[in-house]
């Protein structure tokens, strides 16, 4: 052990193994993270190409997403609103 590194990799692994497992909800949320940016980009691209879709999103974002098969509860709606305003 060096003064700047009080734990080596083996000790860190030991400490991590001692932790309880992450709650299932955390695991599921982490698994969804890579999907979200792609999905948001796709929605914004479609809104740029489809004026009617864009109008529906602006009028009622959550309902327009539901109508297209998206799950608004699983999306960062504030981020999507920001992206739509910027586009």
């Amino acid at each position: 052990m060096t003064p700047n590194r009080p734990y080596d990799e083996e000790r860190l692994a030991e400490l991590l193994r001692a932790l309880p497992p992450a709650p299932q909800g955390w695991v599921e949320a982490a698994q969804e993270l890579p999907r979200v940016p792609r999905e948001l980009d796709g929605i914004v691209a479609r809104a740029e190409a489809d004026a009617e879709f864009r109008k529906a999103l602006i009028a009622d974002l959550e309902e327009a997403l539901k109508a297209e098969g998206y799950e608004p509860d699983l999306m960062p709606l504030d981020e999507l609103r920001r992206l739509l305003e910027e586009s």
Side-chain angles (χ1 to χ4, degrees):
M1 268 189 263
T2 64
N4 292 338
R5 293 179 58 194
Y7 298 105
D8 62 20
E9 287 86 13
E10 289 178 22
R11 178 66 179 140
L12 286 173
E14 182 182 313
L15 292 169
L16 288 171
R17 280 192 300 273
L19 291 172
Q24 187 60 32
W26 292 9
V27 173
E28 291 168 6
Q31 291 170 338
E32 290 292 314
L33 287 176
R35 175 192 58 81
V36 172
R38 288 189 309 270
E39 201 165 71
L40 294 182
D41 289 344
I43 293 168
V44 171
R46 181 169 170 209
E48 290 173 343
D50 182 342
E52 289 301 313
F53 182 57
R54 184 180 187 87
K55 282 173 58 176
L57 290 172
I58 291 169
D60 190 339
L61 181 61
E62 291 184 49
E63 284 304 314
L65 292 173
K66 286 179 190 175
E68 296 298 318
Y70 294 101
E71 295 183 49
D73 295 339
L74 302 177
M75 302 181 87
L77 297 180
D78 289 340
E79 176 68 7
L80 181 53
R81 284 185 183 93
R82 185 187 66 74
L83 291 170
L84 289 168
E85 287 174 7
E86 291 177 359
S87 66

